[in-house]
Amino acid sequence: MASSVKKKNGTGNGQPKLKFNTGWEYAPAPESSSHIKINSRYDLFIGGKFVKPSSGKYFDTINPATEAKLSEVAESNTADVDKAVKAARQAYDKYWKKMPARERGKYIFRISRMIQERARELAIIETMNGGKAIRESRDIDVPLAANHFFYYAGWADKLQFALPNKTPKPLGVAAQIIPWNFPLLMAAWKIAPALAAGNTVVLKPAETTPLTALKLAEIIQESGLPEGVVNIITGFGNTGADLVYHNDVDKIAFTGSTEVGKIIQKAVAGTRKKLTLELGGKAANIIFDDAPLDQAVEGIVNGIFFNQGHVCCAGSRLFVQESVYNKVLRKLKDRIETLIVGDPLDKNTDVGAINSKAQLEIINRYIALGKEEGAEIYQSGCSVPKKGFFCRPTLFTNVSQSHRIAQEEIFGPVLTIQTFRTDEEVIEKANNSPYGLSAGVWTDKGSKIFNLTTKLKAGVIWANTYNKFDPTSPFGGYKESGFGREGGLHGLTSYLAS
Ligand code: NAI
Ligand code: MG
């Protein structure tokens, strides 16, 4: 055996070692970051230039896998927010609303191409700043971000076909506030349709993941997009709130916690501001006994453990038909033993770092709560790095509907498992949630898929797959998961008056 191959530490939670586990790990295969350029400090991108914040303040942004500082970014205060909104308004009046739609489309195409050209750099920075495995940022986040710009570029001069018999008009200035779980992809989801529909933008990335948004600002600057059409400002929750309350904003698009979504909805009530909210989720992933079980197990793992469970549509509640429960549970436990948790820049890593210390604390609180509530815990036996924020894939069995771990969004690699006997029973259990963002159904029968997809109260339902995205397909929720759709034709309507 090669000397670089290390012996595995055994299962850390006292579980017997699984018979097929070879006891050997892969040799490290880290993606090189030596050529990546991250400035030591970033200013605000307003009016096509990087400008110093009037607050004079900067805050650190770190790598959650090492806790090392990567850079410091500007903290916007109310005056900075005002400056950004004014720049967006001026750009709207001066250039953007007068520009022929096909010219607008060309800029959006160019941004898409530039993202593709710089894909590797963007993926590495996304992983360094957010903690997600490089495999995810390289194969999912960055290509999808480019695809969103590409898709919406095509619509820019075809809006009358998107909304037949209507006269679609842009809204004006869009304020967009995004979270830390898909930093570049969420920026693309928000900016691309807004520009295609003819609006100008002020975007605020999440405080823990500003770097790819700032790289996108560099790309936008290089693309020659008229100054002020897109402004990107960094800051904390109060920067987001200043944007929400600004009088000259016509549209607010928010993705993040239900808690903040509710605050924004109240703030916007009675104003002219159009609002879309994409909030939390507690998706049911439902496995019937006639499902292809090995594929389903991959779907479960993809649904909750990849991207550290930092996915609003994560399949965090598993429902398994009673007759195959033991089989599925055994397969799932075997599979999570093979998941590699650790250095997100390593190409073999399946589960990277939790995005922040605060989020790891939330997840650990829920894990403790699950035990207190009487659920049975099973964690994979892998070792995790000492430094940085990591969490081992965690299963809870013996879970009842009333347990808080089965009701509340955990936003981490924690899965609750319940059983069911009939379609009716699982539909009722799945819908017994304040959320309604997504769901998964695994079965061999088309009729069962149709039955469930019509009765489950979820915006997106995957059949025999999970967490698949495409720019042409609308995404959004019911109930406390928010309202409005992003992606596809529906995503345009949120940025148009007609
Ligand atoms: P958050 O909702 O506080 O943050 C999301 C964005 O909103 C960030 O850019 C933040 O700066 C901004 N923000 C915060 N307070 C604001 C306010 N009053 N007005 C306007 N903007 C504001 O989410 P947080 O605190 O990072 O995470 C807490 C929980 O939220 C997580 O544990 C998870 O359960 C959930 N979450 C859900 C997401 C989703 O995609 N559905 C994404 C991120 C978090
Ligand atoms: Mg918060």
Side-chain angles (χ1 to χ4, degrees):
M1 199 57 75
S3 59
S4 57
V5 178
K6 290 180 295 183
K7 191 96 171 72
K8 205 168 174 169
N9 302 335
T11 63
N13 57 354
Q15 301 286 342
K17 248 184 158 179
L18 294 152
K19 57 179 180 306
F20 80 97
N21 191 332
T22 60
W24 301 97
E25 286 180 347
Y26 287 94
E31 178 72 68
S32 163
S33 59
S34 56
H35 59 296
I36 296 297
K37 187 172 162 283
I38 298 175
N39 298 345
S40 57
R41 174 180 269 197
Y42 284 93
D43 289 316
L44 304 170
F45 184 63
I46 298 178
K49 292 173 200 70
F50 284 91
V51 298
K52 298 214 172 313
S54 48
S55 70
K57 285 193 202 158
Y58 294 83
F59 60 97
D60 290 352
T61 188
I62 65 160
N63 179 340
T66 61
E67 300 174 53
K69 176 175 168 178
L70 293 172
S71 180
E72 57 185 27
V73 302
E75 183 178 336
S76 309
N77 64 14
T78 311
D80 295 310
V81 170
D82 186 50
K83 206 174 183 182
V85 174
K86 283 206 170 93
R89 173 63 60 193
Q90 216 178 28
Y92 180 72
D93 290 334
K94 224 162 131 185
Y95 318 108
W96 206 235
K97 76 175 177 196
K98 295 181 192 157
M99 188 180 284
R102 65 171 189 284
E103 294 303 314
R104 235 173 37 225
K106 283 186 200 166
Y107 285 109
I108 310 171
F109 270 125
R110 196 175 299 157
I111 295 167
S112 165
R113 288 305 309 256
M114 291 174 77
I115 292 174
Q116 282 175 329
E117 280 159 16
R118 290 172 67 170
R120 184 151 177 270
E121 177 194 3
L122 289 167
I124 292 169
I125 296 174
E126 196 72 310
T127 284
M128 289 174 78
N129 199 196
K132 65 174 64 193
I134 187 73
R135 205 181 57 205
E136 296 272 314
S137 44
R138 182 195 62 201
D139 298 347
I140 297 169
D141 295 59
V142 177
L144 269 177
N147 286 350
H148 266 270
F149 279 102
F150 190 80
Y151 171 75
Y152 280 112
W155 276 119
D157 62 350
K158 301 174 196 71
L159 295 177
Q160 72 273 30
F161 301 107
L163 298 165
N165 305 321
K166 294 200 172 149
T167 321
K169 292 233 161 40
L171 298 169
V173 174
Q176 309 182 319
I177 301 162
I178 58 172
W180 40 262
N181 52 342
F182 290 89
L184 182 69
L185 183 57
M186 286 302 111
W189 274 33
K190 298 267 184 290
I191 296 174
L195 296 187
N199 303 275
T200 57
V201 164
V202 181
L203 175 99
K204 190 198 91 66
E207 44 271 46
T208 55
T209 53
L211 292 183
T212 46
L214 291 161
K215 283 280 155 187
L216 182 62
E218 289 176 2
I219 287 175
I220 286 169
Q221 194 177 38
E222 266 177 56
S223 78
L225 188 78
E227 57 191 44
V229 171
V230 173
N231 305 276
I232 297 179
I233 58 170
T234 44
F236 295 87
N238 56 321
T239 303
D242 283 341
L243 261 176
V244 167
Y245 281 104
H246 198 289
N247 274 334
D248 205 25
V249 159
D250 300 295
K251 149 89 190 177
I252 296 158
F254 173 79
T255 300
S257 63
T258 297
E259 181 196 354
V260 173
K262 286 179 180 174
I263 296 172
I264 294 177
Q265 197 171 6
K266 281 187 199 142
V268 166
T271 72
R272 72 173 192 294
K273 295 170 193 172
K274 245 190 150 176
L275 177 65
T276 43
L277 295 175
E278 203 264 274
L279 309 174
K282 192 74 181 173
N285 203 0
I286 301 167
I287 318 290
F288 283 97
D289 59 5
D290 60 353
L293 294 185
D294 289 322
Q295 260 169 267
V297 166
E298 284 311 302
I300 298 165
V301 167
N302 178 16
I304 185 71
F305 298 126
F306 290 168
N307 211 25
Q308 302 74 249
H310 294 342
V311 186
C312 47
C313 50
S316 50
R317 288 185 297 155
L318 177 64
F319 292 96
V320 186
Q321 200 157 23
E322 213 171 76
S323 46
V324 288
Y325 173 72
N326 288 332
K327 207 166 165 185
V328 169
L329 189 62
R330 199 189 62 239
K331 282 177 185 283
L332 186 58
K333 284 182 176 175
D334 284 358
R335 180 66 178 99
I336 68 170
E337 283 303 332
T338 69
L339 292 177
I340 300 170
V341 184
D343 179 7
L345 277 176
D346 194 310
K347 290 167 226 159
N348 292 322
T349 293
D350 298 299
V351 184
I354 300 301
N355 182 261
S356 65
K357 187 162 182 256
Q359 188 59 30
L360 181 58
E361 282 166 4
I362 294 176
I363 297 167
N364 284 337
R365 268 207 303 279
Y366 274 108
I367 291 176
L369 180 70
K371 291 192 237 173
E372 278 165 37
E373 284 180 315
E376 200 174 305
I377 186 170
Y378 180 91
Q379 288 186 303
S380 79
C382 63
S383 55
V384 298
K386 295 252 163 355
K387 203 138 179 81
F389 316 127
F390 291 90
C391 181
R392 289 185 291 165
T394 303
L395 309 177
F396 275 110
T397 53
N398 233 340
V399 175
S400 82
Q401 282 291 94
S402 59
H403 283 168
R404 282 180 58 195
I405 53 166
Q407 286 289 330
E408 297 173 19
E409 183 176 51
I410 301 174
F411 230 64
V414 181
L415 179 69
T416 62
I417 309 177
Q418 294 171 263
T419 59
F420 68 94
R421 288 185 184 166
T422 65
D423 294 22
E424 291 68 36
E425 181 189 349
V426 77
I427 290 165
E428 194 183 315
K429 281 181 167 169
N431 285 339
N432 178 7
S433 163
Y435 295 109
L437 191 55
S438 60
V441 182
W442 298 80
T443 169
D444 204 25
K445 289 204 180 51
S447 57
K448 221 174 246 176
I449 291 172
F450 284 122
N451 185 30
L452 265 87
T453 48
T454 49
K455 291 178 184 156
L456 289 173
K457 293 199 191 78
V460 180
I461 304 176
W462 287 286
N464 294 327
T465 186
Y466 207 88
N467 268 351
K468 289 281 182 286
F469 290 93
D470 189 280
T472 63
S473 173
F475 181 87
Y478 284 94
K479 300 196 273 186
E480 293 195 14
S481 293
F483 49 80
R485 296 290 176 265
E486 294 187 300
L489 270 180
H490 298 70
L492 278 174
T493 57
S494 326
Y495 288 97
L496 290 168
S498 56

